[in-house]
């Protein structure tokens, strides 16, 4: 019994989460959410939007295995699955587990009085996060980024990244992998800026004729370079197939990326892949006694394939 009219002190008020946001609370509050949804909402509240990147595909045609990695702030986790969607879920699960296990990892929640990033000048925005937000807003699949080429001397590297959004692709180049991804995402965003974010925009309407080179457009094209490819043989000596393919790509609106394969072939030759940003994407293999001859062989094989596909039926 308290004496002297004194009463027990009231318990201190529960601390307010005014400056931090913890993942456990979100998972408890929203048990029906998928790992991707939970991680995305967490990223939105902490100003660290998750970015998913396709790493590789392994296995056989009947038992494929895909690997994706997700980056949230300074944390990167990978996941494997029998489909790309499953691999993304596994990567998100791994990131959530990592965040839950590290209680000290607690991102600052942006001040509600701070300026809205979406209203900041475009050059200050994060194009990777902005493109992902746009995809989620309109119900599209999340963008996928693939490093397709790495070249240049050690002091002046150049990276090429392909960004896929549904059936559309853009290529970005930069002095770092991150810059290449940003540039690829920025190309997509540039095509959407004339549309209001409140509109229900379809990709086909938004991108229109910028879809790129399809087999139908190739067959119906009267371009000088593609017409010459239809009419002429590809066995003329001393033909520069790399230049020829480049000229057709420029005329028809697709890009060519050469990816060198580190391992030599079984007969000791250099190998490479030529990837054409057609829709669907075309990939052709090449080999030769040197890196340059492997590129030439891949270009020759790509030209043969284009010649077949460009024939009018």
């Amino acid at each position: 019994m308290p004496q002297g009219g004194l009463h027990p002190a009231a318990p201190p008020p529960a601390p307010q989460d005014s400056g931090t946001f913890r993942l456990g609370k979100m998972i408890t509050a929203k048990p029906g959410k998928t790992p991707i949804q939970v991680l995305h909402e967490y990223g939105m509240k902490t100003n660290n939007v998750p970015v998913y990147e396709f790493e590789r595909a392994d296995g056989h045609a009947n038992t494929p295995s895909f690997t994706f990695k997700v980056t949230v702030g300074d944390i990167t986790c990978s996941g494997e699955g029998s489909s790309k969607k499953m691999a993304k879920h596994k990567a998100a699960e791994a990131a959530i587990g990592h965040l839950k296990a590290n209680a000290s990892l607690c991102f600052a929640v942006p001040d509600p009085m701070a300026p809205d990033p979406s209203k900041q000048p475009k050059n200050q925005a994060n194009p990777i996060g902005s493109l992902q937000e746009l995809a989620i807003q309109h119900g599209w699949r999340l963008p996928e980024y693939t490093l397709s080429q790495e070249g240049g001397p050690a002091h002046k590297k150049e990276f090429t990244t392909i960004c896929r959004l549904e059936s559309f692709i853009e290529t970005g180049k930069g002095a770092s992998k991150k810059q290449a991804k940003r540039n690829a995402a920025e190309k997509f965003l540039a095509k959407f800026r004339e549309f209001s974010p409140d509109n229900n925009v379809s990709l086909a309407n938004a991108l229109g004729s910028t879809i790129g080179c399809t087999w139908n457009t190739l067959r119906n094209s009267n371009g000088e370079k593609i017409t010459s490819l239809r009419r002429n043989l590809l066995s003329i000596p001393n033909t520069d197939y790399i230049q020829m393919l480049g000229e057709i790509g420029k005329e028809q609106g697709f890009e060519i990326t050469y990816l060198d394969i580190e391992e030599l072939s079984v007969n000791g030759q250099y190998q490479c892949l030529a990837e054409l940003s057609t829709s669907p994407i075309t990939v052709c293999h090449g080999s030769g006694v040197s890196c340059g001859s492997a590129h030439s062989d891949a270009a020759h094989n790509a030209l043969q394939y284009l010649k077949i596909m460009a024939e009018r039926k």
Side-chain angles (χ1 to χ4, degrees):
M1 183 76 180
Q3 298 185 10
L6 298 177
H7 297 278
Q16 300 294 318
D17 288 339
S18 58
T20 59
F21 182 83
R22 295 193 177 276
L23 188 62
K25 183 183 294 186
M26 171 172 283
I27 295 174
T28 303
K30 301 183 178 180
K33 296 284 187 177
T34 66
I36 291 178
Q37 291 172 326
V38 171
L39 191 63
H40 176 73
E41 291 186 19
Y42 176 72
M44 288 295 296
K45 290 183 178 295
T46 60
N47 211 17
N48 288 275
V49 178
V51 177
Y52 295 85
E53 184 174 356
F54 175 72
E55 286 196 306
R56 65 179 182 276
D58 301 309
H60 303 285
N62 57 339
T63 57
S65 176
F66 301 91
T67 302
F68 268 82
K69 71 177 181 181
V70 60
T71 301
V72 189
D74 295 329
I75 299 168
T76 299
C77 294
S78 296
E80 295 183 6
S82 56
S83 67
K84 291 183 177 180
K85 183 176 181 180
M86 181 60 68
K88 287 182 180 178
H89 276 285
K90 292 295 184 182
E93 283 182 354
I96 291 171
H98 185 82
L99 289 166
K100 288 173 63 181
N102 292 270
S104 61
L105 288 175
C106 198
F107 298 97
V109 175
D111 184 349
M113 299 302 293
D116 185 350
S118 64
K119 295 181 172 61
Q120 297 301 302
K122 293 294 182 179
N123 60 358
Q124 294 182 15
N126 173 13
I128 297 174
S130 298
L131 183 61
Q132 182 159 308
E133 279 298 294
L134 191 66
I136 292 172
Q137 181 182 359
H138 295 292
W140 306 327
R141 285 177 292 184
L142 295 180
E144 297 177 9
Y145 298 89
T146 305
L147 180 66
S148 65
Q149 191 172 16
E150 178 180 343
H155 67 280
K156 195 177 181 181
K157 287 284 188 180
E158 183 178 65
F159 299 88
T160 302
T161 293
I162 294 174
C163 176
R164 292 177 174 85
L165 182 60
E166 296 286 350
S167 60
F168 301 87
I169 71 169
E170 285 292 349
T171 302
K173 297 183 178 182
S176 66
K177 294 178 183 179
K178 183 176 181 180
Q179 188 60 51
K181 288 169 63 176
R182 288 176 62 92
N183 289 341
E186 180 59 38
K187 284 186 178 181
F188 266 122
L189 291 174
K191 296 174 181 177
F192 290 107
R193 285 188 181 131
E194 60 185 274
F195 292 88
S196 167
D198 297 327
N199 291 341
N200 186 18
V201 183
S202 71
L203 277 175
N205 289 338
L207 299 181
S209 61
T210 63
I211 184 173
C213 176
T214 67
W215 300 136
N216 284 333
T217 60
L218 203 63
R219 294 188 189 104
N220 296 323
S221 174
N222 293 317
E224 176 186 351
K225 302 299 180 181
I226 197 66
T227 301
S228 176
L229 178 65
R230 292 193 193 102
R231 294 175 178 174
N232 299 318
L233 299 175
L234 285 170
S235 55
I236 302 174
N238 301 321
T239 301
D240 188 336
Y241 296 119
I242 295 175
Q243 180 181 345
M244 180 185 295
L245 181 61
E247 291 174 348
I248 293 177
K250 185 176 181 180
E251 178 185 80
Q252 299 298 319
F254 64 83
E255 296 184 10
I256 306 101
T257 302
Y258 294 93
L259 178 62
D260 294 322
I261 301 174
E262 293 184 2
E263 296 181 4
L264 298 179
S265 65
V266 291
N267 58 352
Q269 291 194 323
Y270 289 85
Q271 301 183 94
C272 86
L273 297 174
E275 182 176 85
L276 282 57
S277 65
T278 52
S279 182
I281 292 173
T282 303
V283 180
C284 295
H285 178 265
S287 60
V289 296
S290 67
C291 183
S293 59
H295 285 207
S296 180
D297 186 48
H300 180 259
N301 292 335
L303 287 166
Q304 288 183 317
Y305 186 70
L306 289 176
K307 183 178 177 67
I308 294 171
M309 299 304 295
E311 291 292 341
R312 291 173 174 167
K313 298 180 181 180

